[in-house]
Structure formats: structure tokens, C-alpha cells
């Protein structure tokens, strides 16, 4: 262990998997004497943990790298210490050494499968530029040190846990199979050990992560292959784990065991993010999604039969190559049929190296934008309708942070909505039953049911 603490700033872009990876990078560097800081300004090492999914996301990295280089120059001019600049994540994997050419000043490029080697790579970067975008044979997760209790506590009562990485689906628009590689599942024993440690350190909610999380097929303690349903059931048994979630799923991998888990596990939150991308069978075919709109609707019916109180979320792409007005209308139609609680929608972005980028009939930017605008208006209407339907209901909220104002605490509903409550005596990490009183633009507002009961009885006594 080095004696002088060095400061590390990691900025993550993209999906939750990157958020998890960023935490693990900090864990990997803690034994080297690195402590995390909230800004690049006083950091000795900055890691940009990047996303390659859409052009805009990838381009953002280069402007940020420009700023980091300026910061280093300024600091040197003022007689300050050095700043090491590293690029990690999916742009690192996709562009590798190209990044060094485009953004001079970068010291180190490290891919999503080799960041457990960060201590060695940083040592090497002292004498020259380093690029490591290997898919190593050694187990990254086994090589990573565990987070300390203090660090876990500081990260809050809701934690991410990656159980599966990579993707073999090859949707024609998507870079993930190239940036994250083939599907790999961690072993059940390794996952359970990590979940137990999280619970022991005060975590109440665990979100199991994977690019294709429901394709999970990890080795079980019995030597057999376990699916996600079975894994959830096992983790639900860990004392202290009050809530479980998983993301992101593919419609093709929702098996019976997983659907049954929605019926049987009270810890599994009644919320499911299940990307559909489009409601047109022709477009779904060209996307290589491997299902039709009717398959998706049937699947939703089956999951809702297992768990009637289910809030649905999804991802959509507008203006995929060849998408006609009719195809787009089919997407709108599917949205009207399902009714979504919250969603993510994007206009199609052609990504180098993906089959869709070379397809004929690319849709003009203006059309992609107009469709996105129309889709988002409908989705926002549905989101607001869902939030409005929660007013008057009682639901358990996991409180995970201070609220916007003094005396307010904030948390998440089972359906992932932010909930603000004004109440004394609620601590971070508490799960409290709350009556929802009103619906703001971005949050629900409520009061703890106990307090409400007390107030009412007091009022009755007065009357
Ligand atoms: N594994 C997940 C999601 C991965 S990426 C899944 O199977 O759905 C997250 C979302 O980004 C995707 O669901 C898709 O809606 C969107 N996306 C991916 N590639 C895109 C592209 N080239 N242009 C626009 N949106 C894209
Ligand atoms: Fe990308 Fe499709 Fe794999 Fe999701 S399932 S990560 S959209 S290729
Ligand atoms: Fe982006 Fe890579 Fe996640 S491309 S969405 S950071 S898997």
C-alpha cells in the first residue's frame, strides 16, 4: 500500500453496467492508495468510462478529453502536479489505439474486460502510452478486490451486481456484441458471495445486471447450469436483501422459471424493463430481434398473469433503415396496447461496423426526429397516467438519499419512481410504507402510513 493517498475521479457514461464497472475500477485501485474524489479538478487520475452505443455518446468523450488535456496544461502552468488521463469502457474497446491518435494526452486505454489489470497498466503508463483491449482468459471478477464496508455504505442501500456480460444476439443496429464480447455468466457461488457481502454492508436492494441478463446461465453449486429465475430465488434468501431487480432483458430469454419468479418472490420488484425496439414485424426482422410484435404482446400477457401488478418499461428506436410511416404506426400501436410506466427511446444512430449501417434506405434525420417526438409524446402521456394512478395508493419505498429540501427524504417506489417524503425518523436504507399524496413532474410525494394513521387518530380524538 502506498502511503500518500492519490485521488481518482471516474466519470461514467452509458448503461448501469458502466456504473458498476466504475465502482469496481475504484475497488481495484484502492489498494494502490487511490481515494475517490467528486471532481476532476483535484484528481491525480481521471478515468472516462465511455459508451459507444450512439454516435452522440461516443463523440462526447472526445470533447471531455479535450477539457482534461486543458486541465492538465493549466495545472502544470500553475506549478501543480501531474494528471493521468485514462479511457475505459466501450469506446476504449471499439476504438483502441485510435483514441491516442485522435486525442493526444491520453495515457492509457483499457477495455471493459481488462480493467482489473489497472494497477499494472498504470505502472506501465508511467513510461509510455498503454492500450489493453484484450478479452483475457483470467476471471476479471475473481481478480478484483472487494469494496470496503465504508465504500459500500457510501454508495447507498441500492446496489448493482453484474451477473452476466456480453451479448450473442447481434441485433443489426447494436455495437454491444463487439464492445463487450460474447455472453459470459459468472458462477452462482461468486455472485452469492458478492450479494452476501453487499447485504452484510447494509445494502437492501440489489439490481442484477447484464447486457442480456435473462440469458444468464451460470454454474450452480450443484454443478448444473442455473437460469436467472433460480439465481433470483437464491439471492432472495440472503438475510437483509429486501428487494431485487434485474436488467436488461431480451424478450427471447424470458423463460417459465423467470416468469414464475415474478409470481413467487416477494423480493422481486413488480417492474420489468423489456426492450422491444419496434412494433413492426418487418423492422423487427431486419433488426434481427428474433421475435414479432405478437410474440412480445403474448409474453407480456404471460408475465402479467404471473404478476398482475407489473409496471413495464422498454427501449425504442425510431427511424431504423427502411422504416416507413406504416412501420412507425405499428410501434405506436404496440405502445397503445401495452401501456408503459417509463421508457427510453432513441432515434436510430448508424454505428460503424454494424450491419444496419450498410443497409439501403437510411431514414433522413428529420424523419427520425419527428417520429421520436411523436413517440415520446405518447410515452410521456402513459408515464404520467401511470404516476397519476399511484396517487392514493400505499407502497413500500426504499429511502436512499436526502430529499431536495431540509427535512425531506427521497427513495424509490417498487416501480422505480422517485418518491419524496417529509418526515423525521426515516433513515437512509429504511423501507417504509408510504401513502402517495400527489404526483409531480418527476417525483411522487407521499407520507409514511404510520404517521398518517397517527395524525388521523389524533384528529378523531379532537373531533
Ligand atoms: N441489451 C439491451 C440494450 C442494449 S443498448 C437490449 O437488448 O435491449 C440500450 C438501448 O440502446 C437499446 O435497447 C436500443 O434501444 C438503443 N440502441 C442500441 N443501439 C442503437 C443505435 N445504433 N441507435 C439508436 N439506439 C440504439
Ligand atoms: Fe444490443 Fe441486441 Fe445484444 Fe441488446 S440484445 S445488447 S440490443 S445486440
Ligand atoms: Fe454503452 Fe457499452 Fe453500456 S456501449 S450502453 S456502455 S454496454
Amino acid at each position: 500500500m502506498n502511503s500518500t493517498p492519490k485521488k481518482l475521479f471516474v466519470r461514467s457514461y452509458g448503461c448501469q453496467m458502466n456504473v458498476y464497472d466504475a465502482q469496481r475500477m475504484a475497488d481495484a485501485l484502492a489498494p494502490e492508495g487511490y481515494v475517490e474524489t467528486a471532481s476532476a479538478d483535484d484528481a491525480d487520475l481521471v478515468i472516462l468510462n465511455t459508451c459507444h452505443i450512439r454516435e452522440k455518446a461516443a463523440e462526447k468523450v472526445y470533447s471531455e478529453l479535450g477539457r482534461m488535456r486543458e486541465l492538465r496544461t493549466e495545472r502544470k502552468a500553475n506549478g501543480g502536479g501531474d494528471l493521468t488521463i485514462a479511457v475505459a469502457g466501450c469506446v476504449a474497446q471499439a476504438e483502441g489505439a485510435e483514441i491516442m491518435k485522435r486525442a493526444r494526452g491520453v495515457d492509457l486505454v483499457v477495455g471493459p474486460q481488462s480493467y482489473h489489470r489497472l494497477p499494472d497498466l498504470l505502472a506501465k503508463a508511467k513510461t509510455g502510452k498503454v492500450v489493453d483491449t484484450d478479452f483475457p482468459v483470467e476471471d476479471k471478477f475473481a481478480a478484483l478486490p472487494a469494496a470496503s464496508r465504508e465504500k459500500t455504505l457510501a454508495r447507498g442501500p441500492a446496489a448493482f451486481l453484474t451477473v452476466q456480460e456480453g451479448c450473442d444476439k447481434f441485433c443489426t443496429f447494436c455495437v454491444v456484441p463487439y464492445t463487450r464480447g460474447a455472453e459470459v455468466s459468472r458462477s452462482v457461488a461468486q455472485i452469492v458471495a458478492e450479494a452476501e457481502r453487499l447485504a452484510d454492508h447494509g445494502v437492501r436492494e440489489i439490481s442484477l445486471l447484464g447486457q442480456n441478463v435473462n440469458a444468464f446461465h451460470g454454474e450452480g453449486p450443484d454443478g448444473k447450469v442455473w437460469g436467472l429465475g433460480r439465481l433470483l430465488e437464491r439471492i432472495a434468501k440472503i438475510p437483509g436483501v429486501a428487494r431485487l431487480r434485474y436488467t436488461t432483458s431480451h424478450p427471447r430469454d424470458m423463460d417459465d422459471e423467470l416468469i414464475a419468479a415474478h409470481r413467487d418472490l416477494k423480493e422481486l420488484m413488480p417492474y420489468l424493463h423489456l426492450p422491444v425496439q419496434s412494433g413492426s414485424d418487418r423492422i423487427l426482422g431486419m433488426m434481427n430481434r428474433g421475435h414479432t410484435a405478437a410474440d412480445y404482446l403474448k409474453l407480456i400477457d404471460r408475465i402479467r398473469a404471473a404478476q398482475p401488478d407489473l409496471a413495464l418499461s422498454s427501449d425504442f428506436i425510431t427511424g431504423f433503415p427502411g422504416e416507413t410511416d406504416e412501420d412507425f404506426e405499428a410501434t405506436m400501436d404496440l405502445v397503445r396496447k401495452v401501456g408503459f410506466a417509463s421508457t427510453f427511446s432513441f432515434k436510430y444512430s448508424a454505428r460503424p461496423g454494424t450491419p444496419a449501417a450498410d443497409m439501403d434506405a437510411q431514414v433522413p434525420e428529420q424523419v427520425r426526429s419527428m417520429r421520436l417526438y411523436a413517440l415520446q409524446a405518447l410515452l410521456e402521456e402513459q408515464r404520467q397516467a401511470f404516476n397519476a394512478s399511484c396517487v392514493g395508493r400505499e407502497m413500500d419505498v426504499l429511502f436512499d438519499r436526502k430529499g431536495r429540501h431540509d427535512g425531506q427524504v427521497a427513495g424509490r417506489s417498487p416501480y422505480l419512481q422517485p418518491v419524496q417524503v417529509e418526515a423525521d425518523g426515516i433513515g437512509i436504507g429504511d423501507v417504509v410504507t408510504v401513502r402517495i399524496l400527489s404526483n409531480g413532474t418527476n417525483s411522487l410525494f407521499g407520507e409514511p402510513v404510520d404517521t398518517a394513521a397517527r395524525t388521523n387518530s389524533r384528529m378523531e380524538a379532537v373531533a
Side-chain angles (χ1 to χ4, degrees):
M1 163 90 90
N2 283 346
S3 50
T4 37
K6 291 168 279 184
K7 289 192 176 163
L8 162 70
F9 175 66
V10 193
R11 168 162 289 165
S12 267
Y13 304 82
C15 60
Q16 286 131 321
M17 190 82 81
N18 261 12
V19 176
Y20 176 83
D21 288 342
Q23 294 176 347
R24 300 311 305 263
M25 287 177 205
D27 297 344
L29 290 168
E32 303 293 304
Y34 278 95
V35 295
E36 286 174 85
T37 174
S39 141
D41 293 337
D42 63 343
D44 301 293
L45 166 63
V46 168
I47 304 177
L48 299 186
N49 192 26
T50 60
C51 172
H52 201 244
I53 202 83
R54 285 168 290 275
E55 192 181 350
K56 237 196 215 153
E59 285 306 311
K60 232 190 270 172
V61 175
Y62 288 99
S63 50
E64 191 62 17
L65 284 173
R67 270 197 292 278
M68 290 304 129
R69 200 167 152 222
E70 272 169 35
L71 179 70
R72 170 153 67 193
T73 315
E74 249 170 58
R75 205 184 279 182
K76 276 198 179 144
N78 296 331
D82 201 7
L83 172 67
T84 304
I85 302 172
V87 180
C90 290
V91 177
Q93 191 62 45
E95 299 185 6
E98 283 298 305
I99 297 174
M100 303 276 190
K101 287 192 198 142
R102 244 189 97 178
R104 271 173 291 127
V106 174
D107 303 294
L108 167 64
V109 173
V110 56
Q113 300 309 339
S114 39
Y115 65 76
H116 56 297
R117 296 173 174 169
L118 266 170
D120 285 347
L121 297 173
L122 279 170
K124 278 194 203 136
K126 286 207 172 86
T127 54
K129 305 214 177 260
V130 175
V131 178
D132 185 346
T133 51
D134 280 1
F135 286 90
V137 284
E138 76 261 17
D139 184 340
K140 170 177 80 186
F141 295 107
L144 284 164
S148 65
R149 174 180 288 271
E150 294 70 37
K151 220 176 221 158
T152 309
L153 281 173
R155 287 170 184 167
F160 293 137
L161 201 177
T162 293
V163 302
Q164 176 279 342
E165 278 197 285
C167 181
D168 296 339
K169 297 281 190 301
F170 290 93
C171 300
T172 53
F173 52 81
C174 184
V175 295
V176 172
Y178 313 99
T179 63
R180 293 275 171 164
E183 238 175 76
V184 181
S185 296
R186 297 175 70 184
S187 74
V188 172
Q190 209 187 51
I191 295 163
V192 168
E194 189 168 331
E196 282 175 343
R197 197 166 45 239
L198 289 171
D200 183 48
H201 291 182
V203 166
R204 307 298 315 278
E205 174 180 301
I206 300 180
S207 295
L208 305 186
L209 300 184
Q211 268 89 27
N212 244 291
V213 72
N214 58 348
F216 175 81
H217 57 281
E219 189 195 337
D222 51 3
K224 296 198 177 118
V225 172
W226 285 29
L228 188 65
R230 194 135 179 230
L231 179 69
L232 285 162
E233 192 193 341
R234 173 66 188 85
I235 299 178
K237 291 200 179 103
I238 297 174
V241 173
R243 292 175 152 199
L244 287 172
R245 304 180 184 277
Y246 60 94
T247 201
T248 295
S249 296
H250 193 292
R252 263 157 67 189
D253 294 319
M254 287 300 300
D255 63 16
D256 291 343
E257 210 174 39
L258 183 54
I259 294 176
H262 279 278
R263 180 192 62 213
D264 300 335
L265 299 180
K266 65 174 188 336
E267 293 83 2
L268 184 56
M269 291 294 98
Y271 174 92
L272 177 63
H273 181 64
L274 194 62
V276 64
Q277 317 295 357
S278 167
S280 154
D281 289 346
R282 206 175 63 83
I283 296 298
L284 286 168
M286 290 201 315
M287 286 177 164
N288 190 33
R289 289 292 289 179
H291 63 81
T292 62
D295 293 336
Y296 185 84
L297 294 172
K298 228 182 284 158
L299 179 60
I300 296 295
D301 283 347
R302 283 174 54 215
I303 310 167
R304 277 182 169 154
Q307 169 54 287
D309 176 32
L310 186 80
L312 276 161
S313 163
S314 194
D315 291 343
F316 298 89
I317 295 176
T318 63
F320 182 84
E323 188 187 73
T324 63
D325 285 341
E326 212 177 6
D327 293 318
F328 175 65
E329 208 28 66
T331 300
M332 296 289 274
D333 200 41
L334 178 134
V335 171
R336 284 186 205 103
K337 279 185 184 136
V338 176
F340 291 96
S342 73
T343 48
F344 302 89
S345 45
F346 316 94
K347 55 185 160 181
Y348 170 72
S349 168
R351 304 306 290 130
T354 61
D358 296 326
M359 285 180 186
D360 295 335
Q362 297 283 322
V363 174
E365 147 74 27
Q366 210 194 350
V367 178
R368 280 183 278 149
S369 295
M370 294 288 288
R371 288 181 188 158
L372 182 64
Y373 188 74
L375 175 64
Q376 287 183 340
L378 174 61
L379 292 168
E380 178 58 15
E381 228 173 77
Q382 294 193 339
R383 188 179 75 89
Q384 288 298 346
F386 177 70
N387 287 348
S389 77
C390 292
V391 176
R393 283 185 59 187
E394 289 177 5
M395 53 184 78
D396 285 351
V397 174
L398 168 61
F399 288 92
D400 58 2
R401 60 196 183 281
K402 289 206 173 95
R404 274 183 237 141
H405 310 294
D406 274 356
Q408 255 186 359
V409 269
R412 296 271 176 181
S413 76
Y415 319 105
L416 267 188
Q417 299 142 301
V419 181
Q420 309 264 345
V421 165
E422 249 160 82
D424 299 329
I426 295 181
I428 305 300
D430 289 351
V431 178
V432 176
T433 309
V434 167
R435 176 170 302 123
I436 304 302
L437 300 173
S438 65
N439 165 26
T441 327
N442 294 311
S443 303
L444 300 175
F445 298 90
E447 61 180 3
V449 167
D450 279 353
T451 320
R454 251 182 276 137
T455 319
N456 285 344
S457 56
R458 225 179 290 140
M459 284 171 71
E460 275 156 28
V462 171

